[in-house]
Amino acid sequence: MAEKQAAPENPGGKPNAAAEAARKRQRQELELQRERILDERTSSPHRRAALEAALTEIETRLASIP
């Protein structure tokens, strides 16, 4: 019977480097998407509504990243 290896302990409660790097990349990705949406100009009310919805989603996701 194979033994399960326990996850390595994280002394001091600090996030590990890989998790921190992943959060940083995700935040940068969302910030770039946000900038792209804010820079986009449109006269179409349907497109503008879609952009506003996307912006709201991105800002919600940004707020949820620790």
Side-chain angles (χ1 to χ4, degrees):
M1 191 150 122
E3 289 184 31
K4 290 185 180 178
Q5 290 192 0
E9 296 275 333
N10 193 355
K14 294 183 182 177
N16 66 31
E20 184 64 31
R23 277 193 295 276
K24 191 172 187 177
R25 277 191 307 273
Q26 184 180 21
R27 177 173 291 281
Q28 287 175 331
E29 214 174 271
L30 290 170
E31 287 173 349
L32 286 172
Q33 289 175 6
R34 182 178 180 274
E35 284 181 40
R36 195 172 71 235
I37 289 171
L38 290 172
D39 287 343
E40 192 164 330
R41 306 281 187 248
T42 182
S43 59
S44 168
H46 297 292
R47 178 70 179 148
R48 188 175 303 122
L51 290 171
E52 288 172 358
L55 184 60
T56 300
E57 173 66 23
I58 289 169
E59 289 176 344
T60 301
R61 290 174 62 193
L62 275 169
S64 71
I65 298 174

